[in-house]
Amino acid sequence: MNDKSKIPPGQKQTDNFPVLHVGKVPEFDPRTWYFKVEGEVENPSVFSYEEFKKLDAVKDKSDFHCVTGFSILDNVWEGVRFKEIAKLAKPTKKAKFATIFCDGGYTTSLPLQDLMDDDVLFAWGRNGEELTPEHGFPLRLLVPKKYAYKSAKWVRGIRFTEKQELGYWEQRGYSNTADPWTEDRYP
Ligand SMILES: Nc1nc2c(c(=O)[nH]1)N[C@H]1C(S)=C(S)[C@@H](COP(=O)(O)O)O[C@H]1N2
Ligand SMILES: [Mo]
């Protein structure tokens, strides 16, 4: 479906799902995989794969905008909301940002305010199917309101912080606000 009102300026809609990342797709072993929550929280924790999959999951439809210019509308993601994990972790009063870290060293970070939105998910499924490894299986972040370099693949944990730690692309000159509607591509 073509819905021009949902395509931000300078973007083109695509119906396929391009694969884009730096480095190689990491190996996944459900017996050794874990998800770590650390930093400015009252309850630091480590979830096994089995434990993570038992958290309250939701389905949420949202759009995906890559800074290189493609947009994919109406993806139905399945996973756990960021705010569900924050509820368990209990960020301290000092916590204002979170860094999402991934297998292979990729990172991104956002103000907690943005991450607490209902559409921010740690997802394992899209449109009724399990994500492929290339698209981030077993777990990727989705931050639909931001350019997709904030939607980190192969996520292994969250670090709540008082000050923002710039992410991989943000350190390399991409906009830290990353708002597709105002074309925050570069600073
Ligand atoms: N771990 C990791 N996550 C990543 C990236 C990456 O290089 N490494 N690239 C980002 C960028 S720039 C984009 S556009 C999307 C692409 O996601 P896709 O390959 O599922 O389309 O992943 C994001 N997440
Ligand atoms: Mo991207």
Side-chain angles (χ1 to χ4, degrees), residues 17-22 64 66 106 135 140 148-149 151 153-154:
F17 193 10
V19 171
L20 223 70
H21 55 257
V22 283
F64 187 91
C66 172
Y106 190 83
H135 286 299
R140 78 173 300 164
Y149 51 89
S151 292
K153 304 193 274 193
W154 314 298

Side-chain angles (χ1 to χ4, degrees), residues 23-186:
K24 58 180 189 354
V25 176
E27 297 282 326
F28 166 60
D29 181 344
R31 292 165 306 176
T32 54
W33 187 93
Y34 58 85
F35 184 96
K36 198 169 179 192
V37 183
E38 60 181 38
E40 285 295 339
V41 289
E42 285 174 27
N43 298 326
S45 55
V46 177
F47 298 88
S48 68
Y49 185 64
E50 205 181 327
E51 288 166 342
F52 197 91
K53 290 295 292 274
K54 282 189 191 144
L55 295 171
D56 283 342
V58 296
K59 285 189 179 162
D60 192 70
K61 191 194 275 188
S62 63
D63 304 334
F64 187 91
H65 309 294
C66 172
V67 70
T68 62
F70 67 86
S71 290
I72 313 167
L73 302 184
D74 298 330
N75 305 279
V76 179
W77 302 105
E78 180 174 8
V80 177
R81 285 191 175 116
F82 178 93
K83 79 174 192 195
E84 179 66 26
I85 298 175
K87 192 174 81 186
L88 302 170
K90 297 194 169 50
T92 66
K93 283 208 179 67
K94 281 193 195 162
K96 295 284 182 289
F97 300 90
T99 301
I100 310 300
F101 50 90
C102 306
D103 263 329
Y106 190 83
T107 58
T108 190
S109 65
L110 286 141
L112 281 189
Q113 215 176 325
D114 294 334
L115 289 165
M116 297 299 272
D117 278 355
D118 277 349
D119 62 358
V120 177
L121 257 58
F122 290 106
W124 53 76
R126 174 179 177 266
N127 297 347
E129 285 174 26
E130 217 162 59
L131 287 177
T132 59
E134 295 74 35
H135 286 299
F137 191 81
L139 196 68
R140 78 173 300 164
L141 180 69
L142 274 316
V143 189
K145 292 189 189 78
K146 303 291 182 181
Y147 282 126
Y149 51 89
K150 299 282 186 184
S151 292
K153 304 193 274 193
W154 314 298
V155 170
R156 295 297 301 273
I158 311 170
R159 182 165 49 255
F160 289 80
T161 63
E162 186 176 357
K163 301 215 168 92
Q164 188 163 25
E165 304 171 337
L166 278 188
Y168 180 89
W169 283 118
E170 295 89 335
Q171 285 172 34
R172 288 162 177 79
Y174 282 87
S175 162
N176 188 35
T177 47
D179 178 358
W181 293 97
T182 51
E183 289 203 70
D184 297 346
R185 298 175 196 268
Y186 308 99

